[in-house]
Amino acid sequence: MLGFVLYLFIGRRITNSKIFRLLDGSEAGHHKAGKRQLDEVNRNEYQFVNAVSRANVELAVLLMNDDTGSLSHNNAVTVFDDGTEKFDSLIDDIRSARDHVHILYYIFRSDHLGQRVLEALIERAEAGVAVRLCYDAYGGRKIARRYLKRLRAAGGEAYPFFPNNFGPINFRVNFRTHRKIAVIDGRIGYVGGFNVGDEYVTPTKKFGYWRDTHLRIEGSAVDSLQTRLLMDWNVAAPGNRRVGHEPRYFPARESQPGDVAVQIVSSGPDSEWEWIKYGYLKAIHKANDSIRIQTPYFMPDAAVMDALKIAALSGVDVHLMIPDRPDHPLVYPATLSYADELAKVGVNVHIYQGGFLHAKTLLVDDELASVGTANFDYRSFRLNFEVNAFIYDVELGKRMAAIYERDLLKCRPFDHDQVYRRPLVGHVKEAVSRLVAPLL
């Protein structure tokens, strides 16, 4: 009986036919720019004007196969590694919106931070701006219904992604949208690891400071974020509230905000291929000098583990940074186990002690970066709906490297004897954790 109940909630796979029925119509006029670029590449007509993207042309071409994976070279990118700064910027941008605000978050609470965001959305809706809020039915279960009523009364819209089937029961709890995207007027986009909750801006007693990474983007890459967000919106919203690929949501840009090359890449159970994982693998294999990873959950599959081992054994300076405390008791022993396995082949494993490390970043040779929502684990690769930005730029790479070096000041080195000072207990936890890792 227990096995049957667990199967109903976390054991069932969404079949291809089922997932595509659930997502039917979500594209709503979406133009697959990445596929058009692939055609240009095949005809030798595409120009890689960015030096880093040109040096990583195979990775760029790989990611163009994703529906949202078109490459753009005209972006300005700001990196946030502090929640207060990120949300102050987001709320200011929301309050400056003139046409529309589209929001998609995995976790959205109506605590102090959530109320600030919701009040900004309500104010814009009252001013006639089109406001659409999408949140995961599980991660957003703590939104107070009075705020959603106020938002709808003001003219805004809000819908949960994969809502509950019967009251509090949700048979799709194992397939969540882990994406965090905001798009304002089609000109400004946000993507990264921060959710909407007080712990992301205020140190907590249990975890202390919440260390995460998020991006603010201006440029053509916002079109890809908008496309991804609207496709998810069209899954959550009723058929008569779906949004098409309208020009107002993809405004022409009279000037070039910057010169950073960016690809927005998504993956999930709706995709036949694990695009973000493939991007990680290709980037790791391309590394010549260094690899820097930050992730709160490190439970990779054999392909990623082998890629990192090969890189380390080939002389690449590989660094892995993980938290020093668990927020999921079953996850952390597996993370330590995989980290220990890498440490044995020369990977530099760092335990972050400045709070809870929630950032999901990959930096290769200090010029190729990935920032987004995907962790290095089975769930992010195969079960959750995820989105990452792959960035090709020397200056932004230097900025990411500087952040990593600063975080290292708050780390201690991984020590096998210290981690496993209680061998029997440690190995039992490790065995159980790794056994159920694909479900975590």
Side-chain angles (χ1 to χ4, degrees), residues 361-415:
T361 67
L362 168 67
L363 181 62
V364 173
D365 294 341
D366 291 353
E367 61 179 21
L368 169 62
S370 177
V371 177
T373 68
N375 299 299
F376 278 74
D377 62 6
Y378 291 91
R379 174 162 293 279
S380 286
F381 293 157
R382 297 173 184 158
L383 297 179
N384 283 343
F385 296 86
E386 306 280 5
V387 61
N388 275 37
F390 282 77
I391 309 157
Y392 309 81
D393 188 75
V394 172
E395 292 304 316
L396 189 133
K398 291 179 180 177
R399 165 69 173 145
M400 295 284 294
I403 293 173
Y404 203 98
E405 290 295 327
R406 189 192 63 203
D407 287 340
L408 282 176
L409 299 176
K410 299 178 181 179
C411 291
R412 61 176 172 84
F414 178 90
D415 185 286

Side-chain angles (χ1 to χ4, degrees), residues 71-176:
L71 176 64
S72 60
H73 299 92
N74 64 342
N75 302 283
V77 180
T78 302
V79 181
F80 292 103
D81 58 355
D82 176 78
T84 299
E85 294 178 0
K86 180 261 177 173
F87 282 104
D88 284 349
S89 176
L90 174 62
I91 291 170
D92 286 345
D93 285 333
I94 290 173
R95 294 192 183 279
S96 299
R98 294 292 176 264
D99 183 76
H100 64 272
V101 178
H102 295 157
I103 301 286
L104 168 65
Y105 274 92
Y106 167 55
I107 293 175
F108 200 118
R109 301 191 182 96
S110 53
D111 50 19
H112 179 70
L113 174 62
Q115 290 175 30
R116 288 180 60 205
V117 176
L118 286 164
E119 291 293 349
L121 294 175
I122 292 169
E123 186 272 329
R124 285 292 82 199
E126 290 174 341
V129 172
V131 174
R132 296 179 176 92
L133 168 63
C134 183
Y135 55 92
D136 184 77
Y138 177 77
R141 67 191 184 279
K142 293 186 179 180
I143 298 181
R145 296 297 176 257
R146 66 180 183 275
Y147 284 103
L148 297 181
K149 289 180 180 179
R150 286 182 55 201
L151 177 60
R152 290 167 179 146
E157 298 180 83
Y159 295 103
F161 187 92
F162 278 12
N164 294 347
N165 303 88
F166 307 101
I169 298 175
N170 193 319
F171 292 130
R172 296 190 294 254
V173 71
N174 205 31
F175 304 92
R176 313 314 313 168

Side-chain angles (χ1 to χ4, degrees), residues 46-54 71 73:
Y46 188 81
Q47 298 294 319
F48 290 88
V49 298
N50 176 284
V52 181
S53 65
R54 190 162 57 246
L71 176 64
H73 299 92

